[in-house]
């Protein structure tokens, strides 16, 4: 069928046919070739080399949830990009961070944002947070073919659940398996180290400013032990992306705010390279 | 077998236009006005759920008078058009002008095809710019023509009366509260020169606010915020309504 996004002719019949509120359903009927999951895959030998995003961390706090990511993308042992953005707003009350093949992940996020926005505009109401998380699961599942060729995308989804009035975190595996995480979570190559740091620093009564410091500490520890994760780059003024989602919606910390947290963490690490210590017992 | 009567094309079109206009006139009118920080949509709508105004894309809003199922169909078509275009190219490539053209073609084709009944709808597509000069408002009547409007526009059954009233009083750089109050005054005017009261809970109000930090500029105004805006500048409103009463008398 003719796409008709270029000409200014009449809207094609498919546009005016009553159907579902999902943009992905509309695309799969009208222009399936635009859907990432419907792509014909060429036969490949070995693993395709493409830039990879690395560490994303999330933590809940009293008023909501924080999602943050480092800025490094790597291709093999090379640093492909020093200032990549891996944390994006999904809509007003949720955000998604991506680890894995950067190109595919960014495309997936773009489609995911559109899916939520399209539903909201057509229905006049937002999807529930569970609904959003499930939608993302479907999208990852449709990427399984490429994941088998080494082009996996593993997102971390966080949002403020307006109905339950609290922040929630969802993690995924490459098959689209979805699980809700309690308190904190991390994905990507540096996630093991970040999770260790968060485990020691997390407590149930964190304030927003404590929680933003906690994620920067965790990212520092990930960068400390994982070569694919980038630490705060003081010389180039590249600092982690930290986003806060509360009942007031999504907010990304400004560069100045995130620089300030990163610098105070760095300063302490000059005295104490392993960072803050938890009590032994 | 009976021979069909000959109907001249002029007559056929005039009949179709009259049919559509009558359908549109059955619904309540609505207005779209420019104000200092954007564009405001105001209409009388007893329903909380079935909207006359909605968001099409980041800076583009949609308003419609007439038959609900028909304009809802066009609205969803527009959302699909905008989302697909933004996904294929870039968010900046979705424009009110492009959307208005597509609507005009769609309405025009339906209007001139004898196989289909004409749509009983009148649409407004508005885009808020970075500055007042960048604002665009297009009015699309049932026949697929397209009118580039400035300042204020009214559509629906009572549109002529309301837009005359607005033309005389609308000024550039009005505050949201002033524009909203003017819109409500315009909508409360009846064809016989009398005024009715439209309570706040029967009003549907939405804005495209260029000062919103989010990429998406469309916002519904409801509840306390709406009452606050309607009440702001009390004395000025009184003076204005006294003047209105005089005008109404003159008009008759």
């Amino acid at each position: 069928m003719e796409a008709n996004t270029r000409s200014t002719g009449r809207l094609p019949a498919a546009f005016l046919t009553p159907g579902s509120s999902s943009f992905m359903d509309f695309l799969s009927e009208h222009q399936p070739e635009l859907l990432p999951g419907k792509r014909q895959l060429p036969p490949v030998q070995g693993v395709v080399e493409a830039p990879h995003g690395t560490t994303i961390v999330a933590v809940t706090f009293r008023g909501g949830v924080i999602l943050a990511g480092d800025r490094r993308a790597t291709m093999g042992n090379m640093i492909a990009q020093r200032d990549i953005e891996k944390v994006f707003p999904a809509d007003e009350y949720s955000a998604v961070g991506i680890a894995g093949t950067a190109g595919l992940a960014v495309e997936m996020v773009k489609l995911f944002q559109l899916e939520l926005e399209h539903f909201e505009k057509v229905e006049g109401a937002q999807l529930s947070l569970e609904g959003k998380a499930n939608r993302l699961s479907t999208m990852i599942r449709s990427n399984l073919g490429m994941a088998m060729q080494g082009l996996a995308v593993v997102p971390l989804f966080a949002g403020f659940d307006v109905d339950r009035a609290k922040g929630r975190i969802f993690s995924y595996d490459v098959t689209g398996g979805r699980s809700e995480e309690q308190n904190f979570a991390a994905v990507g190559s540096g996630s093991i180290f970040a999770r260790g740091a968060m485990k020691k620093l997390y407590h149930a009564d964190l304030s927003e400013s404590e929680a933003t410091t906690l994620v920067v500490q965790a990212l520092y520890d990930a960068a400390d032990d994982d070569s694919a994760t980038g630490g705060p780059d003081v010389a180039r003024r590249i600092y982690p992306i930290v986003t806060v989602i509360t009942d007031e919606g999504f907010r990304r910390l400004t560069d100045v705010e995130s620089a300030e947290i990163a610098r105070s963490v760095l300063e302490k690490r000059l005295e104490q390279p392993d960072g803050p210590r938890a009590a032994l017992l | 077998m009976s021979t069909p009567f000959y109907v001249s094309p002029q007559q056929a079109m005039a009949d179709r236009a009259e049919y559509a206009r009558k359908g549109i006139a059955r619904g309540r009118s609505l207005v779209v006005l420019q104000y200092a920080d954007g564009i405001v949509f105001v209409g009388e709508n007893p329903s909380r759920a079935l909207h006359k105004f909605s968001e099409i894309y980041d800076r583009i809003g949609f308003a419609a008078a007439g038959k609900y199922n028909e304009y809802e169909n066009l609205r969803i078509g527009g959302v699909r058009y905008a989302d697909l275009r933004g996904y294929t190219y870039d968010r900046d490539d979705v424009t009110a002008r492009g959307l208005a053209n597509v609507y005009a073609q769609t309405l025009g084709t339906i209007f001139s095809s004898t196989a289909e009944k004409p749509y009983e709808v009148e649409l407004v597509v508005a885009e808020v710019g970075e500055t007042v000069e960048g604002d665009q408002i297009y009015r699309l009547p049932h026949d697929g023509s397209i009118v580039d409007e400035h300042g204020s526009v009214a559509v629906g059954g009572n549109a002529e009366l309301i837009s005359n009233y607005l033309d005389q009083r609308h000024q550039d750089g009005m505050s949201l509260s002033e524009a909203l109050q003017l819109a409500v005054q315009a909508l409360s005017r009846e064809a016989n020169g009398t005024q009715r009261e439209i309570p706040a809970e029967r009003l549907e109000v939405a804005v495209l606010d260029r000062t919103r930090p989010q990429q998406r500029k469309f916002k519904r105004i409801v509840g306390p915020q709406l009452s606050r805006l309607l009440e702001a500048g009390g004395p000025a409103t009184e003076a204005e309504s006294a003047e209105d009463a005089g005008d109404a008398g003159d008009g008759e």
Side-chain angles (χ1 to χ4, degrees), chain A residues 254-269:
Chain A
T254 61
D255 285 347
V256 178
E257 287 172 305
S258 114
E260 199 178 312
I261 301 169
R263 279 173 181 277
S264 61
V265 167
L266 277 174
E267 224 159 83
K268 284 281 182 192
R269 295 274 173 147

Side-chain angles (χ1 to χ4, degrees), chain A residues 5-6 8-11 14-17 19 23 26-27 31 34 92 110 114 117-118 120-122, chain B residues 55-57 73 75-77 79-81 83-85 87 89 91 102 105-106 109-110 116 214 216:
Chain A
T5 47
R6 290 159 289 275
T8 47
R10 180 183 175 170
L11 284 172
F15 283 64
L16 298 175
T17 311
F23 183 70
F26 170 67
L27 265 192
Q31 267 192 296
L34 288 180
E92 190 91 32
K110 196 174 145 193
L114 197 53
E117 186 186 323
H118 189 82
E120 191 189 323
K121 287 191 288 195
V122 171
Chain B
E55 172 190 10
I56 297 282
Y57 211 63
N73 198 17
R75 180 182 79 86
I76 291 173
V79 170
R80 286 172 176 167
Y81 162 86
D83 280 349
L84 180 57
R85 201 176 161 93
Y87 181 65
Y89 303 108
R91 293 193 84 94
V102 170
Q105 294 296 335
T106 307
T109 318
I110 294 170
E116 274 177 279
Q214 288 91 333
R216 296 163 68 187

Side-chain angles (χ1 to χ4, degrees), chain A residues 199-276:
Chain A
K199 189 192 262 181
K200 295 295 174 215
L201 296 177
Y202 180 83
H203 60 85
D205 206 29
L206 288 172
S207 69
E208 183 182 315
S209 70
E210 286 172 326
T212 49
T213 310
L214 187 150
V215 290
V216 176
Q217 292 279 18
L219 286 172
Y220 186 99
D221 282 323
D224 203 20
D225 286 313
D226 170 39
S227 62
T229 304
D233 190 339
V234 186
R236 295 187 183 82
R237 298 202 177 91
I238 301 169
Y239 301 102
I241 290 179
V242 182
T243 66
V244 183
I245 309 152
T246 62
D247 59 353
E248 284 174 16
F250 173 92
R251 185 172 77 89
R252 180 178 154 173
L253 260 53
T254 61
D255 285 347
V256 178
E257 287 172 305
S258 114
E260 199 178 312
I261 301 169
R263 279 173 181 277
S264 61
V265 167
L266 277 174
E267 224 159 83
K268 284 281 182 192
R269 295 274 173 147
L270 291 177
E271 298 159 17
Q272 220 176 341
D274 294 337

Side-chain angles (χ1 to χ4, degrees), chain B residues 86-250:
Chain B
Y87 181 65
T88 322
Y89 303 108
D90 185 75
R91 293 193 84 94
D92 284 347
D93 296 314
V94 183
T95 60
R97 194 185 55 81
L99 182 69
N101 271 325
V102 170
Y103 276 145
Q105 294 296 335
T106 307
L107 284 168
T109 318
I110 294 170
F111 184 73
S112 354
S113 116
T114 41
E116 274 177 279
K117 94 170 186 57
Y119 270 21
E120 299 157 66
V121 294
E122 189 164 11
L123 313 180
V124 176
V125 172
E127 176 175 346
V128 68
E130 296 287 345
T131 59
V132 183
E133 289 72 39
D135 290 350
Q136 294 169 45
I137 303 177
Y138 299 98
R139 182 167 63 88
L140 295 136
H142 54 86
D143 60 359
S145 50
I146 176 167
V147 192
D148 186 358
E149 301 272 6
H150 293 280
S152 64
V153 51
V155 294
N158 222 358
E160 207 168 320
L161 182 82
I162 296 173
S163 59
N164 283 340
Y165 182 86
L166 287 174
D167 284 345
Q168 287 165 24
R169 288 165 183 79
H170 181 267
Q171 286 158 1
D172 291 337
M174 291 176 108
S175 72
L176 176 55
S177 163
E178 284 165 355
L180 178 57
Q181 288 171 21
L182 173 63
V184 175
Q185 281 158 21
L187 288 171
S188 4
R189 297 174 68 80
E190 295 278 15
N192 59 12
T194 55
Q195 286 232 41
R196 13 180 228 111
E197 189 75 20
I198 307 178
E201 49 290 354
R202 286 179 67 90
L203 282 176
E204 181 180 348
V205 180
V207 291
L208 285 165
D209 179 354
R210 76 178 110 253
T211 62
R212 250 168 92 79
Q214 288 91 333
Q215 192 171 28
R216 296 163 68 187
K217 307 295 179 192
F218 185 88
K219 181 173 180 277
R220 290 188 191 285
I221 296 186
V222 287
Q225 195 192 2
L226 178 58
S227 326
R228 222 171 28 245
L229 285 167
L230 285 169
E231 278 158 23
T237 334
E238 270 176 37
E240 187 104 339
S241 39
E243 196 187 298
D244 292 346
D247 285 352
D250 293 344

